[in-house]
Amino acid sequence: MGNGVREGPVEFQRDVEPVAARIPAEDNQEKKKVLNSLMSGALAGAVAKTAVAPLDRTKIMFQGSSRADLSLQEAYRLIYRTYLNEGFWSLWRGNSATMVRVIPYAAIQFCAHEEYKQILGNYYGFQGKALTPFPRFIAGSLAGTTAAMVTYPLDMVRARMAVTPKEMYSSIVHVFIRISREEGLKTLYRGFTPTILGVIPYAGLSFFTYETLKKVHAEHSGKAQPSPPERLLFGACAGLIGQSASYPLDVVRRRMQTAGVLGHTYSSILLTMQEIVREEGLIRGLYKGLSMNWVKGPIAVGISFTTFDLTQILLRKLQHGPGLER
């Protein structure tokens, strides 16, 4: 009888231990997956934005200006004049603010996209399979919205640094301090609404296009994964479509962000659009700098998606050995 009492707990422990061991293992796998996505997204954003920083600064200067004679040729003249007057590294002015923003933004966006894909896949019953078109678009939109909401003040700081001389703002912290003192804390969120309205189609279409092209490629080529040049091409197409669709709202956002230092008083999305169209015309105003974006956007998005995918694959191989690809 004594033996029976002692043996009971032993049998009970033997049954429970495998279940208890599985839960931490699953948690660790999920943590590794999230960490990999965050690291890959951060690197993807940093590499892509640094590569196109001179074009990005020029685009912001275009969008903040009310001049109507800006063209792609004028953009390259502006880059050259900036180089002559301020030096080579001035072309990357504001890039430190861009990195402070884009690293968390890209990390959150790519990580959120992976999580939203999994959540929507479970909800619609597509576990382990590619999502259908509508959930694919929703996953991208939600990812972009999540990242924009968290990092928006940093985007405001980057825009201010891009359109002002070095003497006005000496550092990222200085921008925050001057805006808070002179214009109020709410100014850090000026242009937030058009940003979110623009992010929904931009991020949704970008991720949708990239994921769709990879799926179509796998079905027609018989290869599980596209090559790096193919990923760059798919990303370029995604950037071209996404940024063209949301561009007018991007112009409105920049005007509202830089109004305080460029002498404008834009108070709402509709009033800003009306003033731009009245003073500069529909196409020349709301699509100002789009030709520059058609050069910059596809390059940046192509590099971003490709860097993310390849970094993910590398990290998984390092953790699990060769043969495991995304």
Side-chain angles (χ1 to χ4, degrees):
M1 186 172 181
N3 290 339
V5 173
R6 284 193 301 271
E7 289 172 3
V10 174
E11 289 298 316
F12 179 76
Q13 284 291 92
R14 198 182 301 142
D15 291 337
V16 173
E17 280 177 358
V19 178
R22 279 198 302 271
I23 295 172
E26 290 174 2
D27 287 346
N28 287 336
Q29 280 299 112
E30 185 61 27
K31 286 177 182 176
K32 283 182 181 178
K33 180 186 167 190
V34 170
L35 185 60
N36 285 356
S37 295
L38 288 170
M39 291 171 61
S40 301
L43 181 63
V47 171
K49 279 296 184 180
T50 300
V52 298
L55 296 174
D56 211 23
R57 185 189 177 193
T58 304
K59 186 198 79 169
I60 294 172
M61 293 169 75
F62 265 31
Q63 291 176 332
S65 170
S66 59
R67 287 177 55 193
D69 61 340
L70 296 173
S71 63
L72 191 59
Q73 187 176 14
E74 180 62 25
Y76 290 119
R77 287 201 193 102
L78 179 58
I79 291 173
Y80 185 61
R81 284 198 300 269
T82 303
Y83 161 69
L84 290 179
N85 296 333
E86 302 178 39
F88 178 74
W89 293 112
S90 68
L91 297 173
W92 275 264
R93 173 161 168 74
N95 196 50
S96 57
T98 300
M99 290 299 100
V100 171
R101 170 191 170 266
V102 82
I103 287 174
Y105 181 92
I108 293 168
Q109 180 177 241
F110 278 107
C111 182
H113 183 247
E114 294 297 304
E115 295 303 308
Y116 285 130
K117 279 200 304 183
Q118 184 174 323
I119 291 168
L120 290 169
N122 292 338
Y123 180 79
Y124 286 102
F126 300 132
Q127 295 96 328
K129 300 178 183 177
L131 295 174
T132 51
F134 182 67
R136 206 178 300 152
F137 175 82
I138 293 298
S141 296
L142 288 173
T145 302
T146 301
M149 289 175 67
V150 174
T151 63
Y152 185 78
L154 294 168
D155 189 46
M156 161 66 84
V157 170
R158 176 183 67 128
R160 285 292 182 92
M161 291 188 75
V163 300
T164 55
K166 290 184 285 187
E167 296 76 25
M168 187 165 186
Y169 297 120
S170 59
S171 67
I172 297 169
V173 175
H174 189 211
V175 182
F176 276 109
I177 293 172
R178 282 198 62 174
I179 289 176
S180 301
R181 285 179 180 172
E182 298 173 9
E183 303 173 57
L185 283 171
K186 67 179 182 180
T187 303
L188 291 172
Y189 281 89
R190 183 180 291 160
F192 178 72
T193 303
T195 296
I196 294 300
L197 292 176
V199 158
I200 291 171
Y202 168 65
L205 286 170
S206 295
F207 279 105
F208 169 82
T209 303
Y210 185 68
E211 295 287 323
T212 299
L213 289 173
K214 286 204 303 182
K215 183 174 181 290
V216 170
H217 172 270
E219 290 172 352
H220 286 80
S221 70
K223 296 190 294 184
Q225 295 295 328
S227 65
E230 288 169 336
R231 289 181 194 272
L232 280 170
L233 178 61
F234 298 162
C237 292
L240 187 65
I241 292 170
Q243 292 189 356
S244 297
S246 62
Y247 195 78
L249 285 164
D250 194 39
V251 172
V252 170
R253 169 175 65 121
R254 292 301 181 204
R255 291 296 181 89
M256 294 180 76
Q257 286 177 335
T258 58
V261 293
L262 295 179
H264 297 291
T265 54
Y266 301 124
S267 57
S268 70
I269 299 172
L270 288 178
L271 289 175
T272 304
M273 279 190 168
Q274 286 173 4
E275 187 169 336
I276 291 171
V277 172
R278 184 175 62 251
E279 294 181 358
E280 304 162 48
L282 178 65
I283 302 300
R284 281 184 171 271
L286 292 179
Y287 288 90
K288 180 176 294 175
L290 180 59
S291 55
M292 172 66 72
N293 234 40
W294 281 342
V295 176
K296 176 192 77 72
I299 296 171
V301 178
I303 292 172
S304 182
F305 277 124
T306 303
T307 303
F308 177 79
D309 276 359
L310 296 181
T311 306
Q312 282 277 79
I313 292 170
L314 176 62
L315 289 173
R316 291 179 182 181
K317 282 182 175 179
L318 290 173
Q319 288 174 357
H320 303 286
L324 187 62
E325 289 195 0
R326 185 171 182 269

